[in-house]
């Protein structure tokens, strides 16, 4: 059962998505432009501070509130939803969990208001699944500063005009075969940090994704996030949480496909009747509803365990796996229901189709989710 405050939040984000995002996002998407004005309005609503305590300018809510907001946004558009997801779950949450008092005071109020965005740099051009095997970025202490060299690939929110920093996972020592990994906060204006131009992407076209390179990039020793050598366990925790959020976003996309299909099936006619009268279309929509419903229950359950302080790794992986499948399947079916118009960018379902695929890749591929589930069942890695 949702609490009253969750129901109210869901309603206000649903209205915002319908009235503010829906009318304009298609144009941003076509232009591949970051929607600063929408992000500013999301900030004014408090969405970037949902799970951040009030003492840091947040709303003092919980992570489930963030998930509900992501679901409602993604019903209409995934670019704005992933901008929020990455900013909060990958940008603000690690700072909240591991940051020093000074780091939190310096960064969190601006992140919570949406005035600035934090990014999380884990993936490298040589590999995102095999971390630390594919990691080459290093950070060496020299005269009270970390000197960072290397590169990161596909980093969300890392090159906007309002990006505050990238939290970079880097190898800080090598002991035998195992590298020591630590997380270091690199402010976006640091000399030696080069932000590449935006990738041309299949989907999420109104979101910001960049490759970053670090050449003798120096930041103060105090920019270490949490304990030295704890980077690996930090990002495992961050990704477990992030998977619940991505699951919520995926459910939103799956639901958006149902919303659009129901509307279209009632309007479009063929053979003298609305296409919604054909059982073939009804069955498609019934399957879409069943997928979205079960995926929603899966992410609610994972979030509930997480907030209760119970182990939730397996539940988060299940939620991410089934909800990204649901999003892909629903996007395919919705596009089919729209016929030729489904292939036209003027209809949201075309955007949903392009946005669905990444959900099976980002924050751990579907193969990774299966590996995590199998491991939690006691099977050897
Ligand atoms: C739009 C976008 C935004 C992103 N944002 C961020 C971000 O903000 N921060 C960040 O750090 N990263 C980000 N990523 C990176 C994303 O998390 C990685 O792309 C993802 O984890 C996969 O890594 P990879 O691309 O290197 O694929 P690889 O690791 O090279 O995997 C390639 C294929 O091999 C499979 N594979 C690998 N190992 C195994 C195995 N042991 N068993 C079975 N199959 C295996 C994978 O499942 C996949 O199918 C983003 C990516 C995209 C596309």
């Amino acid at each position: 059962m949702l609490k009253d405050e969750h129901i109210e939040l869901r309603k206000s984000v649903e209205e915002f998505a319908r009235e503010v995002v829906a009318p304009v996002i298609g144009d941003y998407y076509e232009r591949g432009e970051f929607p600063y004005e929408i992000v500013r309005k999301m900030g004014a609503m408090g969405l970037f501070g949902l799970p951040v305590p009030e003492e840091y300018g947040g709303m003092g809510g919980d992570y489930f509130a963030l998930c509900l907001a992501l679901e409602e946004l993604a019903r209409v558009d995934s670019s704005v939803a992933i901008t929020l997801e990455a900013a909060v779950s990958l940008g603000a949450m690690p700072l909240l969990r591991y940051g020093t008092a000074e780091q939190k005071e310096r960064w969190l109020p601006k992140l919570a208001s949406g005035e600035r965005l934090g990014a999380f740099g884990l993936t490298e051009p040589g590999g995102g699944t095999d971390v630390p095997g594919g990691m080459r970025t290093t950070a060496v202490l020299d005269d009270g500063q970390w000197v960072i060299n290397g590169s990161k690939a596909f980093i969300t929110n890392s090159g906007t005009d309002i990006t505050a920093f990238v939290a970079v996972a880097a190898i800080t020592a090598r002991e035998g075969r195992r590298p020591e990994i630590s997380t270091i906060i690199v402010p976006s204006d640091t000399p030696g940090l080069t932000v590449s131009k935006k990738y041309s992407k299949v989907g999420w076209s109104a979101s910001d994704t960049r490759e970053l390179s670090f050449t003798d990039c120096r930041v103060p020793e105090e920019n270490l996030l949490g304990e030295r050598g704890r980077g690996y366990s930090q990002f495992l925790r961050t990704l477990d949480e992030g998977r619940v959020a991505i699951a919520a976003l995926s459910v939103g996309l799956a639901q958006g496909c149902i919303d659009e299909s129901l509307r279209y099936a009632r309007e479009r006619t063929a053979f003298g009747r609305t296409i919604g009268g054909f059982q073939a279309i009804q069955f498609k929509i019934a399957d879409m509803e069943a997928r979205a419903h079960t995926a929603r229950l899966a992410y609610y359950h994972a979030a509930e365990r997480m907030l209760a302080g119970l182990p939730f790794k397996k539940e988060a992986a299940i939620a991410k796996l089934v909800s990204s499948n649901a999003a892909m399947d629903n996007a395919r079916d919705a596009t089919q229901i729209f016929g030729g118009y489904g292939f036209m960018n003027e209809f949201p379902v075309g955007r949903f189709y392009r946005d669905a695929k990444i959900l099976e890749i980002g924050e751990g591929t579907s193969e990774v989710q299966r590996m995590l589930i199998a491991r939690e069942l006691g099977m050897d890695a």
Side-chain angles (χ1 to χ4, degrees):
M1 281 290 283
L2 297 188
K3 293 186 201 151
D4 286 350
E5 68 250 34
H6 287 140
I7 294 170
E8 262 172 51
L9 171 78
R10 190 173 63 179
K11 186 164 172 293
S12 65
V13 182
E14 189 259 326
E15 281 168 11
F16 175 81
R18 187 166 25 85
E19 288 166 16
V20 178
V21 180
V24 296
I25 195 64
D27 289 340
Y28 281 106
Y29 199 86
E30 281 305 298
R31 295 195 298 269
E33 186 181 326
F34 188 80
Y36 287 102
E37 188 52 23
I38 297 176
V39 168
R40 194 187 60 71
K41 289 177 179 164
M42 285 159 61
M45 280 178 80
L47 299 188
F48 287 91
L50 277 173
V52 176
E54 288 171 12
E55 61 176 307
Y56 297 114
M59 303 288 279
D62 56 31
Y63 201 81
F64 184 56
L66 171 70
C67 292
L68 290 175
L70 290 170
E71 182 184 337
E72 289 307 319
L73 286 173
R75 266 174 91 173
V76 166
D77 179 68
S78 290
S79 294
V80 292
I82 191 59
T83 299
L84 177 66
E85 193 276 340
V88 181
S89 139
L90 303 181
M93 292 305 285
L95 200 69
L96 184 61
R97 181 158 295 114
Y98 309 112
T100 60
E102 291 75 29
Q103 287 168 344
K104 290 186 203 177
E105 273 158 33
R106 178 175 173 193
W107 300 110
L108 275 179
K110 287 192 173 113
L111 299 186
S113 67
E115 208 181 313
R116 307 293 304 271
L117 302 174
F120 177 71
L122 174 65
T123 307
E124 302 204 356
T129 303
D130 180 13
V131 177
M135 191 176 282
R136 298 288 173 270
T137 299
T138 57
V140 178
L141 262 185
D142 176 51
D143 200 16
Q145 293 183 314
W146 291 104
V147 185
I148 305 168
N149 281 285
S151 55
K152 295 287 168 183
F154 315 128
I155 308 305
T156 304
N157 288 340
S158 62
T160 72
D161 296 349
I162 54 172
T163 300
F165 64 80
V166 184
V168 177
I171 297 173
T172 43
R174 262 188 200 283
E175 286 156 14
R177 285 179 58 229
R178 281 190 79 81
E180 174 194 271
I181 296 177
S182 309
T183 311
I184 297 164
I185 301 171
V186 181
S188 54
D189 55 0
T190 309
L193 164 60
T194 307
V195 180
S196 303
K197 72 178 177 57
K198 283 203 281 189
Y199 293 96
S200 165
K201 302 191 294 267
V202 169
W204 286 359
S205 299
S207 75
D208 182 81
T209 321
R210 315 264 183 162
E211 184 163 329
L212 306 175
S213 64
F214 303 85
T215 310
D216 293 332
C217 180
R218 288 178 167 267
V219 296
E221 190 173 355
E222 310 82 81
N223 284 25
L224 181 71
L225 182 62
E227 275 175 59
R228 180 175 173 159
R230 301 290 295 163
Y232 191 67
S233 62
Q234 286 172 0
F235 70 68
L236 288 184
R237 168 76 196 201
T238 300
L239 291 176
D240 281 340
E241 283 183 8
R243 280 167 193 146
V244 184
I246 292 288
L249 194 159
S250 305
V251 169
L253 190 150
Q255 182 64 46
C257 292
I258 299 167
D259 300 340
E260 291 298 318
S261 298
L262 277 175
R263 190 181 52 72
Y264 195 70
R266 288 190 188 111
E267 282 170 10
R268 182 72 171 172
T269 56
F271 299 94
R273 62 194 302 192
T274 55
I275 60 168
F278 298 124
Q279 198 179 50
I281 301 284
Q282 291 173 5
F283 277 15
K284 265 197 176 46
I285 296 178
D287 282 345
M288 289 160 76
E289 175 69 11
R291 290 181 203 119
H293 178 76
T294 47
R296 183 176 294 112
L297 293 180
Y299 99 69
Y300 277 23
H301 180 58
E304 190 182 17
R305 288 184 66 87
M306 174 187 152
L307 292 178
L310 296 168
F312 67 102
K313 190 181 275 297
K314 183 179 78 175
E315 289 75 14
I318 291 172
K320 163 85 169 43
L321 180 66
V322 301
S323 62
S324 56
N325 275 342
M328 271 297 274
D329 289 347
N330 283 14
R332 188 196 57 236
D333 284 352
T335 305
Q336 193 67 19
I337 288 170
F338 270 68
Y341 289 111
F343 204 59
M344 298 298 126
N345 283 325
E346 69 187 274
F347 290 94
V349 290
R351 192 153 31 87
F352 294 159
Y353 191 77
R354 287 161 63 186
D355 288 341
K357 182 59 206 168
I358 178 61
L359 299 168
E360 295 185 324
I361 298 171
E363 298 202 28
T365 62
S366 294
E367 290 75 24
V368 168
Q369 309 314 318
R370 292 187 175 95
M371 275 154 43
L372 292 171
I373 296 164
R375 206 173 290 160
E376 290 293 308
L377 293 174
M379 303 175 85
D380 284 342

